[in-house]
């Protein structure tokens, strides 16, 4: 039987990230027992103490055990905890030595959504891939530059450490783990019962690019603003370099450091975000949208659009445009 420890952290925890894993694995036990088979999972809620945590001033979650009572577990699930990142990490820092100790004993680890911030704070993610909610990408890169954040992924799996993308995509990680611990048929059964789409791998279609302006490099902020106001035009690095009196190499270096994108990547993301909004809310065809955002090469537009969103322009419009969606 696999022992699963779902953390009950301090702070504004997303209650669904505790309830979801608990329901998934206990329901699988029920499925198995209904067929005369033994239960496979021993699921426990684990806190720093056995005192209940209160979430949203409405819900009390009572841990089954404190961390000092758990000598060995097979999987630790770290839920999403919202709010000020530094404060959340400080409030939960006493979990970290125990998590590291359990990993060294052979336990696997899984972070859900922005639970990745707690997982990364253990130091165990250095040099490893990790996913989190796309809205937290900039904060994560700033706080953990030694972690390989793959912002478009829904699931990462590296050396017994797992992570999931944003919000409800944690269900896809739970299915992934369930299939690993049981078999494909059981994962399919769970996907049907909980109505979860199987084998989703990318959160790119959901990402909304809002720029990266949480930095103190004012000339770079001005360059970003210029790009965002003039994305329909052809903008070059040399043009920006001259406009803001920054050497080309220095501009490239500072832009990448401030935004985690090259100038070219930033321009593309601004253009594609504008194209997405047009495809969502207008009746323009693909060629019109392409021209509006400053592309003249259809192939280049389609290639860039799919690289950033994971969908073709037509596929994106069919999914999100109000006139295309049929009830």
């Amino acid at each position: 039987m696999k022992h699963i420890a779902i953390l009950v952290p301090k702070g504004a925890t997303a209650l669904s990230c505790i309830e979801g894993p608990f329901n998934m694995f206990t329901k699988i036990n029920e499925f198995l027992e209904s067929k005369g088979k033994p239960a496979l999972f021993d699921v426990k809620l684990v806190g720093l103490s056995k005192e209940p945590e209160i979430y949203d001033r409405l819900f009390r979650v009572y841990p089954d055990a404190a961390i000092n009572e758990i000598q060995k577990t097979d999987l630790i699930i770290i839920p999403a905890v919202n709010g000020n990142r530094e404060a959340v990490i400080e409030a939960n820092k006493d979990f970290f030595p125990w998590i590291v100790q359990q990993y060294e004993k052979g336990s696997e680890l899984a972070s859900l959504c922005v639970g990745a911030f707690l997982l990364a704070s253990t130091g165990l993610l250095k040099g490893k891939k990790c996913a989190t909610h796309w809205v937290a990408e900039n904060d994560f890169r700033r706080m953990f530059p030694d972690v390989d954040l793959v912002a478009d992924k829904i699931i990462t799996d590296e050396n017994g450490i797992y992570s999931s993308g944003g919000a409800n995509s944690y269900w896809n990680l739970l299915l992934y783990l369930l299939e690993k611990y049981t078999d494909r048929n059981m994962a399919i059964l769970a996907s049907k019962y909980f109505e979860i789409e199987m084998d989703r791998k990318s959160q790119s279609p959901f990402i909304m690019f809002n720029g990266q302006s949480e930095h103190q490099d004012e000339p770079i902020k001005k360059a970003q603003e210029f790009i965002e106001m003039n994305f329909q035009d052809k903008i070059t690095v040399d043009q920006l370099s001259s406009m803001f009196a920054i050497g080309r190499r220095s501009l490239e270096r500072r832009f990448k450091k401030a935004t985690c994108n090259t100038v070219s990547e930033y321009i593309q993301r601004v253009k594609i975000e504008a194209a997405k909004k047009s495809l969502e809310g207008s009746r323009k065809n693909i060629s019109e949208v392409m021209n509006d955002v400053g592309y003249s090469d259809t192939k280049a537009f389609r290639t860039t659009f799919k690289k950033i969103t994971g969908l073709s322009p037509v596929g994106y419009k069919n999914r999100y445009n109000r006139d295309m969606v049929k009830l």
Side-chain angles (χ1 to χ4, degrees):
M1 180 174 285
K2 280 197 174 291
H3 185 280
I4 297 177
I6 303 171
L7 296 193
V8 180
K10 294 183 175 296
T13 299
L15 192 62
S16 63
C17 288
I18 295 176
E19 181 193 28
F22 184 87
N23 283 341
M24 167 76 83
F25 291 109
T26 54
K27 182 57 68 175
I28 294 305
N29 283 341
E30 291 179 18
F31 289 157
L32 291 167
E33 290 170 340
S34 70
K35 296 180 179 181
K37 298 180 180 180
L40 284 180
F41 303 107
D42 178 15
V43 188
K44 294 288 190 264
L45 304 184
V46 180
L48 291 174
S49 72
K50 294 183 76 170
E51 292 297 312
E53 292 293 334
I54 301 175
Y55 300 126
D56 295 329
R57 297 184 298 175
L58 296 173
F59 304 102
R60 291 178 184 266
V61 176
Y62 291 82
D64 299 305
I67 55 173
N68 59 11
E69 298 176 296
I70 305 295
Q71 299 304 311
K72 180 71 172 70
T73 186
D74 296 299
L75 173 67
I76 298 171
I77 295 178
I78 305 172
V81 186
N82 299 304
N84 178 274
R85 311 292 184 201
E86 288 80 3
V88 163
I89 290 168
E90 178 65 23
N92 290 283
K93 65 182 181 181
D94 290 341
F95 278 114
F96 304 155
W98 179 78
I99 292 172
V100 172
Q101 181 186 61
Q102 291 298 318
Y103 182 67
E104 290 173 347
K105 288 181 178 181
S107 173
E108 297 189 311
L109 313 175
S111 67
L112 310 185
C113 190
V114 292
F117 283 80
L118 298 185
L119 179 55
S121 296
T122 66
L124 293 171
L125 280 178
K126 288 182 179 178
K128 294 184 176 68
K129 289 181 170 59
C130 181
T132 191
H133 198 301
W134 57 264
V135 80
E137 176 184 355
N138 297 343
D139 284 347
F140 193 92
R141 291 192 190 280
R142 173 178 56 82
M143 294 174 67
F144 304 105
D146 53 1
V147 178
D148 182 10
L149 180 66
V150 283
D152 61 320
K153 299 298 183 186
I154 282 181
I155 296 170
T156 65
D157 173 354
E158 194 162 356
N159 299 327
I161 298 180
Y162 310 91
S163 63
S164 73
N168 289 326
S169 65
Y170 75 80
W171 282 102
N172 295 97
L173 176 57
L174 295 180
L175 284 181
Y176 180 85
L177 292 170
L178 180 61
E179 182 173 351
K180 179 176 180 179
Y181 295 152
T182 58
D183 55 34
R184 181 71 174 181
N185 288 337
M186 189 59 72
I188 291 172
L189 175 60
S191 77
K192 291 181 177 180
Y193 180 84
F194 290 102
E195 299 193 21
I196 311 162
E197 184 181 345
M198 290 283 288
D199 299 325
R200 287 178 56 228
K201 292 181 171 56
S202 174
Q203 60 179 341
S204 293
F206 304 102
I207 294 174
M208 296 169 61
F209 183 68
N210 296 315
Q212 294 117 333
S213 57
E214 299 87 4
H215 59 82
Q216 305 304 315
D217 194 329
E218 292 301 324
I220 298 303
K221 283 186 180 180
K222 287 182 169 55
Q224 290 173 260
E225 290 169 3
F226 179 82
I227 292 169
E228 290 158 12
M229 294 295 292
N230 299 276
F231 63 85
Q232 304 94 334
D233 303 328
K234 183 176 180 180
I235 301 172
T236 67
V237 178
D238 287 335
Q239 176 186 359
L240 295 173
S241 173
S242 175
M243 184 177 299
F244 297 103
I246 305 172
R248 180 190 174 102
R249 291 181 63 183
S250 179
L251 175 66
E252 293 269 28
R253 177 182 55 78
R254 287 168 59 179
F255 202 100
K256 177 74 172 179
K257 181 180 179 181
T259 71
C260 299
N261 285 277
T262 66
V263 176
S264 176
E265 288 169 344
Y266 197 89
I267 293 170
Q268 287 179 345
R269 293 190 70 176
V270 171
K271 286 177 179 289
I272 297 304
E273 191 62 29
K276 286 164 57 182
K277 290 177 181 176
S278 183
L279 291 170
E280 291 165 7
S282 77
R283 296 186 177 185
K284 293 181 178 180
N285 62 38
I286 304 302
S287 294
E288 289 172 321
V289 170
M290 177 188 77
N291 291 328
D292 286 347
V293 300
Y295 277 92
S296 57
D297 184 323
T298 302
K299 182 179 179 181
F301 174 67
R302 293 179 188 275
T303 299
T304 304
F305 193 97
K306 188 164 187 177
K307 177 183 176 183
I308 290 174
T309 69
L311 298 170
S312 68
V314 171
Y316 190 90
K317 184 173 185 177
N318 287 341
R319 178 180 292 192
Y320 291 112
N321 187 278
R322 58 178 174 263
D323 293 324
M324 303 296 292
V325 176
K326 306 297 183 184
L327 296 179

